[in-house]
Amino acid sequence: MSHKLFVLTFCIICMSCAKKTAEIDEKSVVQDTAKVQVVGADRDAHNCITSAGYTWSILKNDCVRIFDVGIRLNAVEENTMGAFIILDDTSNKAELFTIMLKSPIILVRKESEQLWVNGEWELSSEKSYTLKKGGKILFVGQ
């Protein structure tokens, strides 16, 4: 008899623990689901989906993925992120994207030269692209 009572008590304890575990699992699933961010739910001021890699291009007047449409410039110094440029259809303007800037800037081409300028920023294109700031070469690319 005492053996049956022991088994019955053991079963009741196990069942009550299993119920609590199930309740905890349901709560954690609900909480984890609330933390998941859906791709496309994070649009910027221009309606670009930033989580999908899109950013606004002034020159293209559209949301673009700069790594798809831009020209990659690699940093000269180690541990520095690269930059991207997008040229307009006439190649008279270049839009510069780099982490060094809060937002992209437009460089304007000097007449009859392969040189685009905006303040201290200079982009030249002879054999390859070279981007300078204040005369110092920061980025180079094809």
Side-chain angles (χ1 to χ4, degrees), residues 15 26 35 43 49 51 57 68-71 75 81 87-88 93 97 103 105 110 121-122 125 127 132 134 137:
M15 289 169 60
E26 287 175 15
K35 292 178 185 176
R43 296 180 182 266
I49 304 171
S51 64
S57 168
D68 285 341
V69 299
I71 300 165
M81 294 188 71
L87 298 173
D88 71 349
K93 293 180 181 176
F97 296 83
S103 58
I105 62 170
K110 295 252 184 182
W121 291 94
E122 285 185 1
S125 169
K127 293 181 181 178
K132 299 178 185 177
I137 298 174

Side-chain angles (χ1 to χ4, degrees), residues 58-107:
I58 298 166
L59 291 183
K60 299 294 182 184
N61 196 32
D62 199 4
C63 298
V64 297
R65 294 187 346 172
I66 57 173
F67 47 86
D68 285 341
V69 299
I71 300 165
R72 180 172 177 76
L73 303 176
N74 296 312
V76 174
E77 295 181 10
E78 289 185 35
N79 300 324
T80 304
M81 294 188 71
F84 287 88
I85 55 169
I86 295 177
L87 298 173
D88 71 349
D89 295 335
T90 61
S91 294
N92 287 327
K93 293 180 181 176
E95 188 170 9
L96 171 62
F97 296 83
T98 175
I99 198 163
M100 296 173 71
L101 300 167
K102 272 187 155 181
S103 58
I105 62 170
I106 304 296
L107 292 84

Side-chain angles (χ1 to χ4, degrees), residues 40 42-50 54 56 63:
D42 61 327
R43 296 180 182 266
D44 67 8
H46 296 283
N47 212 22
C48 300
I49 304 171
T50 56
Y54 287 91
W56 182 255
C63 298

